[in-house]
Amino acid sequence: MAMALGAAAAREQICAALTAIDAAHQVLRETSSDLVGNDFRVEVAERLEFQDRINRGLMYRIFGELADPPDGNGSIAAVRAALWKRLRITPREITRRCRLAARIRGRRSLTGADIAPELPALAAAVESGAVGEDHIRAVCQAVDVLPAVVPPAEITAAEQALVEHATRVDSGVVAKLGQRIVDHLNPDGLFSDQDRARRRGLTLGRQGPDGMSKLSGLLDPQARAYFEAVAAAVRPGRHLPDGPEERDERSPAQRCHDALKLGMATAISSGKLGTHRGHPVTVVVATTLAELNQAAHAAIDPAIAMPPPAHTGGGSRLPMRDLIAMAANTICYLAVFDDHTKRPLYLGRQKRIATAEQRLICYARDRGCTQPNCLAPGYHCEVHHANPWARGGHTNANNLYFACGPHHTDTTDGHQQTIVTTTGRLGWTDGTTPPHINHAHHPEELLHGNPDPPDDEAA
Ligand SMILES: [Zn+2]
């Protein structure tokens, strides 16, 4: 258990220990291991692995304390932003570490009594450096698939057995043992509604270079029933992608895919999904007049090249041929922009709504959050006034930019200032550096020389 010290003494002791480790690392880096022999190298590898695990244990302790400080309340949003910036780890990894830390960390209740961690055996093994990241994953996966009917004492026994093995064998063996324990504790595969609700989930993978995306996950029985019904409608010869004259040569898997697409397209065109930030829920695709024109000609003349893909509000690429097909079915919200002014020339079939039009300009120009290096796509963004209302800003398209929720908050609480650059983009600064624009949604800008040309700086 950690030693109790006053704040100043604790900070001093922690800094001194970290400095000593840095100094020792420096010695290790500078000492040649060319002549030490392989027996010795194995020993060194073992000790490095152990130290790495000790380090992870300390990291989880700090993440647990950051997320739920024992010495008061902090703003978790500010902490997450600081971790993202200084550790350069993804928001998803920050969430993962905080969640795991919460499961392996003891806490003090309001009455002052100690509350044991959810996974006490794993907690002790992580703290002592006995297990690594892959062991932790294997133990958690096995425990997490146990249904709610398994009594808590059995779950604790399973956790103890797995952790005990994790200190002696590799994580692959632990994962197999975990599967056997699960089969043993739940031989009939009994799952309650609560288990199913906990395990349901779909993950849409990254869009590949070919434009395709992997979908994986578990459907609950209701979702499967809907899916089956739509899949039955897409039986051979029905709902063919290129019309009824075509011969149906689709595989069952391809018809299943088309059923999912049909179900979602029908849901969107029903108009019953409500509104999202001022737009009826729909697919937003932004392109320019020149590219649309080129695509229309390319569709009938093979000598003309297809322009590059358009961008959806979700941050994905949509080939122009698909865009034209979707627009013909009135499902998608096509926004066409003038090539130079980025002003909308055509706004689909939707009634013109001031706020919707302004968002569309942001989709075309910003594509996503404008804060440098933020990857949040347009669907996740709020509209930010470059000149805040308080200082006389107007709801004018030249004055409105995309910012995701957390980054929008950074501007309203004064952590960040924004300035419109001479190129009409939004520059961000914390006041200590010149304003920078976000190139993350404009990869073409990252590839051509200086990623932040002086032209981008504030006027
Ligand atoms: Zn952002």
mmCIF file of all heavy atoms in Angstrom, residues 423-440:
data_model
loop_
_atom_site.group_PDB
_atom_site.id
_atom_site.type_symbol
_atom_site.label_atom_id
_atom_site.label_comp_id
_atom_site.label_asym_id
_atom_site.label_seq_id
_atom_site.Cartn_x
_atom_site.Cartn_y
_atom_site.Cartn_z
ATOM 1 N N THR A 423 -7.303 32.830 -45.679
ATOM 2 C CA THR A 423 -7.858 31.874 -46.634
ATOM 3 C C THR A 423 -9.284 31.477 -46.254
ATOM 4 O O THR A 423 -9.836 30.555 -46.836
ATOM 5 C CB THR A 423 -6.981 30.609 -46.700
ATOM 6 O OG1 THR A 423 -6.765 30.144 -45.368
ATOM 7 C CG2 THR A 423 -5.652 30.894 -47.362
ATOM 8 N N GLY A 424 -9.851 32.136 -45.244
ATOM 9 C CA GLY A 424 -11.240 31.862 -44.893
ATOM 10 C C GLY A 424 -11.423 30.659 -43.994
ATOM 11 O O GLY A 424 -12.546 30.216 -43.771
ATOM 12 N N ARG A 425 -10.328 30.103 -43.493
ATOM 13 C CA ARG A 425 -10.440 28.975 -42.562
ATOM 14 C C ARG A 425 -10.346 29.509 -41.141
ATOM 15 O O ARG A 425 -10.023 30.683 -40.926
ATOM 16 C CB ARG A 425 -9.333 27.962 -42.842
ATOM 17 C CG ARG A 425 -9.397 27.387 -44.256
ATOM 18 C CD ARG A 425 -10.250 26.149 -44.330
ATOM 19 N NE ARG A 425 -9.605 25.040 -43.657
ATOM 20 C CZ ARG A 425 -8.677 24.276 -44.210
ATOM 21 N NH1 ARG A 425 -8.300 24.486 -45.455
ATOM 22 N NH2 ARG A 425 -8.133 23.278 -43.539
ATOM 23 N N LEU A 426 -10.605 28.616 -40.168
ATOM 24 C CA LEU A 426 -10.577 29.061 -38.785
ATOM 25 C C LEU A 426 -9.263 28.644 -38.122
ATOM 26 O O LEU A 426 -8.925 27.460 -38.103
ATOM 27 C CB LEU A 426 -11.765 28.465 -38.016
ATOM 28 C CG LEU A 426 -12.010 29.124 -36.655
ATOM 29 C CD1 LEU A 426 -12.442 30.575 -36.841
ATOM 30 C CD2 LEU A 426 -13.060 28.363 -35.861
ATOM 31 N N GLY A 427 -8.523 29.625 -37.604
ATOM 32 C CA GLY A 427 -7.279 29.349 -36.895
ATOM 33 C C GLY A 427 -7.525 29.297 -35.395
ATOM 34 O O GLY A 427 -8.376 30.030 -34.882
ATOM 35 N N TRP A 428 -6.788 28.400 -34.703
ATOM 36 C CA TRP A 428 -6.955 28.227 -33.248
ATOM 37 C C TRP A 428 -5.635 28.519 -32.545
ATOM 38 O O TRP A 428 -4.570 28.167 -33.037
ATOM 39 C CB TRP A 428 -7.356 26.790 -32.904
ATOM 40 C CG TRP A 428 -8.720 26.399 -33.347
ATOM 41 C CD1 TRP A 428 -9.168 26.315 -34.638
ATOM 42 C CD2 TRP A 428 -9.815 26.014 -32.509
ATOM 43 N NE1 TRP A 428 -10.474 25.898 -34.646
ATOM 44 C CE2 TRP A 428 -10.896 25.700 -33.363
ATOM 45 C CE3 TRP A 428 -9.983 25.880 -31.121
ATOM 46 C CZ2 TRP A 428 -12.128 25.283 -32.878
ATOM 47 C CZ3 TRP A 428 -11.203 25.460 -30.639
ATOM 48 C CH2 TRP A 428 -12.267 25.171 -31.507
ATOM 49 N N THR A 429 -5.732 29.141 -31.377
ATOM 50 C CA THR A 429 -4.539 29.378 -30.571
ATOM 51 C C THR A 429 -4.921 29.436 -29.098
ATOM 52 O O THR A 429 -6.044 29.817 -28.760
ATOM 53 C CB THR A 429 -3.822 30.679 -30.975
ATOM 54 O OG1 THR A 429 -2.767 30.922 -30.046
ATOM 55 C CG2 THR A 429 -4.768 31.877 -30.974
ATOM 56 N N ASP A 430 -3.970 29.020 -28.254
ATOM 57 C CA ASP A 430 -4.204 29.178 -26.808
ATOM 58 C C ASP A 430 -3.611 30.507 -26.345
ATOM 59 O O ASP A 430 -3.525 30.773 -25.163
ATOM 60 C CB ASP A 430 -3.621 27.996 -26.025
ATOM 61 C CG ASP A 430 -2.124 27.874 -26.222
ATOM 62 O OD1 ASP A 430 -1.527 28.727 -26.918
ATOM 63 O OD2 ASP A 430 -1.540 26.905 -25.685
ATOM 64 N N GLY A 431 -3.166 31.329 -27.315
ATOM 65 C CA GLY A 431 -2.625 32.640 -26.975
ATOM 66 C C GLY A 431 -1.105 32.646 -26.927
ATOM 67 O O GLY A 431 -0.486 33.698 -26.954
ATOM 68 N N THR A 432 -0.460 31.436 -26.884
ATOM 69 C CA THR A 432 0.996 31.384 -26.788
ATOM 70 C C THR A 432 1.648 31.130 -28.149
ATOM 71 O O THR A 432 2.853 31.280 -28.286
ATOM 72 C CB THR A 432 1.457 30.273 -25.816
ATOM 73 O OG1 THR A 432 1.041 29.014 -26.352
ATOM 74 C CG2 THR A 432 0.846 30.460 -24.429
ATOM 75 N N THR A 433 0.861 30.695 -29.144
ATOM 76 C CA THR A 433 1.415 30.401 -30.469
ATOM 77 C C THR A 433 0.579 31.132 -31.512
ATOM 78 O O THR A 433 -0.537 31.557 -31.214
ATOM 79 C CB THR A 433 1.335 28.893 -30.786
ATOM 80 O OG1 THR A 433 -0.045 28.500 -30.735
ATOM 81 C CG2 THR A 433 2.133 28.050 -29.812
ATOM 82 N N PRO A 434 1.105 31.257 -32.764
ATOM 83 C CA PRO A 434 0.245 31.809 -33.815
ATOM 84 C C PRO A 434 -0.921 30.851 -34.065
ATOM 85 O O PRO A 434 -0.799 29.649 -33.766
ATOM 86 C CB PRO A 434 1.160 31.875 -35.041
ATOM 87 C CG PRO A 434 2.504 31.435 -34.623
ATOM 88 C CD PRO A 434 2.440 30.889 -33.250
ATOM 89 N N PRO A 435 -2.030 31.330 -34.607
ATOM 90 C CA PRO A 435 -3.165 30.428 -34.840
ATOM 91 C C PRO A 435 -2.835 29.361 -35.877
ATOM 92 O O PRO A 435 -2.148 29.640 -36.855
ATOM 93 C CB PRO A 435 -4.279 31.362 -35.341
ATOM 94 C CG PRO A 435 -3.670 32.676 -35.585
ATOM 95 C CD PRO A 435 -2.313 32.717 -34.977
ATOM 96 N N HIS A 436 -3.317 28.148 -35.637
ATOM 97 C CA HIS A 436 -3.121 27.042 -36.575
ATOM 98 C C HIS A 436 -4.468 26.544 -37.055
ATOM 99 O O HIS A 436 -5.429 26.562 -36.301
ATOM 100 C CB HIS A 436 -2.377 25.886 -35.894
ATOM 101 C CG HIS A 436 -0.937 26.192 -35.672
ATOM 102 N ND1 HIS A 436 -0.010 26.228 -36.688
ATOM 103 C CD2 HIS A 436 -0.269 26.502 -34.544
ATOM 104 C CE1 HIS A 436 1.165 26.545 -36.201
ATOM 105 N NE2 HIS A 436 1.039 26.715 -34.895
ATOM 106 N N ILE A 437 -4.495 26.053 -38.304
ATOM 107 C CA ILE A 437 -5.734 25.474 -38.817
ATOM 108 C C ILE A 437 -5.614 23.959 -38.803
ATOM 109 O O ILE A 437 -4.531 23.402 -38.680
ATOM 110 C CB ILE A 437 -6.085 25.999 -40.228
ATOM 111 C CG1 ILE A 437 -5.042 25.567 -41.266
ATOM 112 C CG2 ILE A 437 -6.239 27.513 -40.220
ATOM 113 C CD1 ILE A 437 -5.459 25.879 -42.692
ATOM 114 N N ASN A 438 -6.761 23.293 -38.891
ATOM 115 C CA ASN A 438 -6.789 21.831 -38.842
ATOM 116 C C ASN A 438 -6.672 21.255 -40.250
ATOM 117 O O ASN A 438 -7.516 21.515 -41.105
ATOM 118 C CB ASN A 438 -8.104 21.355 -38.205
ATOM 119 C CG ASN A 438 -8.080 19.872 -37.911
ATOM 120 O OD1 ASN A 438 -7.046 19.220 -38.046
ATOM 121 N ND2 ASN A 438 -9.217 19.323 -37.488
ATOM 122 N N HIS A 439 -5.633 20.457 -40.465
ATOM 123 C CA HIS A 439 -5.462 19.816 -41.778
ATOM 124 C C HIS A 439 -5.976 18.383 -41.768
ATOM 125 O O HIS A 439 -5.919 17.702 -42.786
ATOM 126 C CB HIS A 439 -3.987 19.807 -42.185
ATOM 127 C CG HIS A 439 -3.402 21.178 -42.293
ATOM 128 N ND1 HIS A 439 -3.642 22.004 -43.365
ATOM 129 C CD2 HIS A 439 -2.620 21.881 -41.441
ATOM 130 C CE1 HIS A 439 -3.011 23.156 -43.190
ATOM 131 N NE2 HIS A 439 -2.396 23.102 -42.027
ATOM 132 N N ALA A 440 -6.450 17.912 -40.600
ATOM 133 C CA ALA A 440 -6.785 16.492 -40.470
ATOM 134 C C ALA A 440 -7.892 16.060 -41.421
ATOM 135 O O ALA A 440 -7.934 14.912 -41.840
ATOM 136 C CB ALA A 440 -7.183 16.176 -39.028
#
